Amino acid sequence: LSGRWGKGPFIEWKESKAAADLIADAKRRGKHVHAGRVNGLKRLRHFFDLGVDTADGSSLSMFPDRWVPTFAAALRAWESPTAAAAAP
């Protein structure tokens, strides 16, 4: 779910029912699903809830000291209610 259009219609599509249906179909077929250009916690949560296997974004490579710990803490909290206190 990556693409050449950083903003605009592509972002709207990534958050659409059609994209969610595509992810669900791929998961039913046993496919690995990756979401690209995930640069914030709102979008990470969106794709986490849809069941993607992996995600990345330039914020992680450009500002790893800031974003990697933030994303990691959020993922731990979403996976385990006991880790919720550590999440941003």
Side-chain angles (χ1 to χ4, degrees), residues 1-73:
L1 293 174
S2 188
R4 288 184 260 180
W5 312 291
K7 300 181 180 196
F10 189 72
I11 296 299
E12 292 170 11
W13 187 87
K14 286 172 82 166
E15 297 175 355
S16 71
K17 182 177 181 327
D21 291 345
L22 181 63
I23 291 168
D25 187 54
K27 297 303 294 177
R28 274 191 301 275
R29 295 169 187 251
K31 303 297 181 182
H32 177 96
V33 178
H34 176 80
R37 296 187 177 194
V38 176
N39 290 304
L41 291 176
K42 179 182 173 188
R43 179 134 323 113
L44 181 65
R45 181 63 197 229
H46 170 74
F47 287 115
F48 177 88
D49 289 343
L50 292 177
V52 301
D53 298 294
T54 56
D56 67 5
S58 59
S59 62
L60 294 166
S61 60
M62 292 173 60
F63 309 103
D65 293 342
R66 163 71 173 104
W67 287 109
V68 170
T70 300
F71 276 40

